[in-house]
């Protein structure tokens, strides 16, 4: 057994660890040869760690690439066929991945669609971060927010599938929690924008959280009422709604 290369390498690694441990607990080295051995064994450990890290990173990269490939194929199917009509078998056929591989990455069709919603949300946030820097005033920013919502959310290719998903899975506790968390995030987002306007002196001081809830209720209602309208019509309605939210309709 002692002649086995694998056994010998394991033995060398164990020996290297022992030397390194001793090095950390021995303040003075009188033997130059020991220092030389220590340096060589440290190199062995470094090579081992580098090799393991490389193999691990390569495996993680391949796994992530597979996950993204499956997600992109599934996204195309959801857009084309809808959520309910797209089966795991459809995704298997489209991607060439096994059902087990898909379940390994996403656990279920529901989990896969939630992953796509997370991607969508992150994409929305990144685009908004860039766009939000372009407005001269906080009021302009509020108008820009509803335009961004229409163009990058209501007009998104996954919108219909997402509506179907929320309807089909609404009885699921995971989805219920997701909807609650999403609405809370939206209200917090609205609150922050409104508070910015108050702090800048562009809006009257008030309860930003309450106003954030009112704004979200207005946007949710518009989303339900504008499904059959053109993009141009929807954009105008959202702008008008924001104008009413900011300035009201009463005579002054």
């Amino acid at each position: 057994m002692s002649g086995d290369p694998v056994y010998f390498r394991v033995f060398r690694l164990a020996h290297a660890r022992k030397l390194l441990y001793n090095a950390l607990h021995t303040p003075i080295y009188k033997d130059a040869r020991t220092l030389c051995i220590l340096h060589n064994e440290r190199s062995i450990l470094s090579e081992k760690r580098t090799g393991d890290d490389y193999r691990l990173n390569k495996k993680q990269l391949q796994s992530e690439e597979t996950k993204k490939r499956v997600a992109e194929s599934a996204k195309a199917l959801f857009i084309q066929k809808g959520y309910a009509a797209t089966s795991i078998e459809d995704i298997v056929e489209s991607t060439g991945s096994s059902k087990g591989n898909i379940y390994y990455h996403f656990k279920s069709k529901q989990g896969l669609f939630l992953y796509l919603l997370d991607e969508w949300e992150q994409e929305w946030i990144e685009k908004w971060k860039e766009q939000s820097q372009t407005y001269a005033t906080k009021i302009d920013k509020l108008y820009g927010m509803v335009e961004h919502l229409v163009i990058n959310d209501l007009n998104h290719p996954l919108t219909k599938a997402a509506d179907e998903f929320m309807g089909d899975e609404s009885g699921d506790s995971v989805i219920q929690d997701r909807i609650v968390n999403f609405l809370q995030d939206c209200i917090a987002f609205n609150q922050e924008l409104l508070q910015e306007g108050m702090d800048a002196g562009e809006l009257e001081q008030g309860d930003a959280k309450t106003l954030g809830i009112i704004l979200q209720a207005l946007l949710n209602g518009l989303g339900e009422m504008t499904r059959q309208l053109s993009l141009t019509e929807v954009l105008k309605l959202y702008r008008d709604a924001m104008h009413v939210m900011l300035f009201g309709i009463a005579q002054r």
Side-chain angles (χ1 to χ4, degrees):
M1 176 180 286
S2 60
D4 186 344
V6 175
Y7 172 83
F8 181 68
R9 181 165 179 78
V10 170
F11 173 79
R12 287 192 70 198
L13 288 170
H15 180 58
R17 291 190 184 97
K18 183 177 180 181
L19 279 175
L20 285 174
Y21 176 84
N22 291 338
L24 291 173
H25 293 80
T26 305
I28 299 174
Y29 287 92
K30 296 183 180 179
D31 188 342
R33 184 170 178 275
T34 302
L35 287 173
C36 182
I37 294 172
L38 176 61
H39 173 76
N40 292 336
E41 298 299 350
R42 190 189 300 271
S43 297
I44 294 170
L45 285 179
S46 178
E47 291 171 7
K48 172 66 166 54
R49 184 172 60 251
T50 301
D52 288 346
D53 289 346
Y54 172 77
R55 285 188 289 272
L56 181 61
N57 290 338
K58 185 177 180 181
K59 185 176 181 180
Q60 289 174 335
L61 180 61
Q62 290 173 337
S63 178
E64 191 61 29
E65 287 175 348
T66 299
K67 186 174 184 177
K68 287 186 178 297
R69 178 170 53 81
V70 170
E72 284 302 310
S73 295
K75 180 180 178 180
L77 289 171
F78 287 135
I79 291 170
Q80 177 187 353
K81 301 177 66 173
Y83 176 74
T86 299
S87 66
I88 287 292
E89 286 72 21
D90 292 331
I91 299 170
V92 168
E93 182 178 352
S94 175
T95 61
S97 295
S98 67
K99 186 180 293 187
N101 196 23
I102 293 172
Y103 283 135
Y104 169 77
H105 288 293
F106 300 104
K107 309 305 179 188
S108 64
K109 185 175 83 166
Q110 180 194 88
L112 200 166
F113 200 82
L114 286 173
Y115 175 86
L116 292 174
L117 291 182
D118 286 338
E119 279 196 330
W120 179 1
E121 182 179 1
Q122 190 59 40
E123 175 188 315
W124 195 97
I125 291 171
E126 292 301 320
K127 287 182 177 179
W128 173 248
K129 282 181 179 178
E130 293 181 11
Q131 186 174 329
S132 64
Q133 305 300 317
T134 65
Y135 301 108
T137 69
K138 303 305 180 184
I139 288 178
D140 287 344
K141 192 174 181 179
L142 284 162
Y143 279 110
M145 183 270 288
V146 295
E147 293 174 2
H148 183 76
L149 177 66
V150 171
I151 294 171
N152 295 288
D153 196 339
L154 301 180
N155 197 44
H156 194 279
L158 270 177
T159 296
K160 290 184 179 179
D163 288 343
E164 185 184 356
F165 172 77
M166 292 301 182
D168 289 354
E169 306 285 356
S170 60
D172 188 289
S173 61
V174 174
I175 303 305
Q176 289 175 350
D177 290 343
R178 180 64 177 263
I179 293 173
V180 169
N181 290 335
F182 174 74
L183 288 174
Q184 289 175 341
D185 289 344
C186 289
I187 291 169
F189 177 75
N190 296 341
Q191 179 181 347
E192 181 179 348
L193 290 181
L194 292 165
Q195 189 63 57
E196 286 179 5
M198 294 176 194
D199 294 342
E202 296 179 30
L203 301 177
E204 293 182 3
Q205 293 297 319
D207 185 342
K209 183 175 182 179
T210 297
L211 292 172
I213 294 172
I214 294 171
L215 176 56
Q216 191 57 42
L218 177 63
L219 296 176
N220 288 350
L222 283 170
E224 293 296 324
M225 300 296 294
T226 58
R227 294 178 184 274
Q228 305 304 318
L229 301 181
S230 69
L231 178 60
T232 301
E233 291 173 317
V234 175
L235 278 169
K236 183 179 185 307
L237 270 174
Y238 271 72
R239 291 191 193 102
D240 290 346
M242 180 55 72
H243 182 83
V244 171
M245 174 76 190
L246 293 172
F247 303 107
I249 58 174
Q251 291 275 0
R252 291 182 182 271

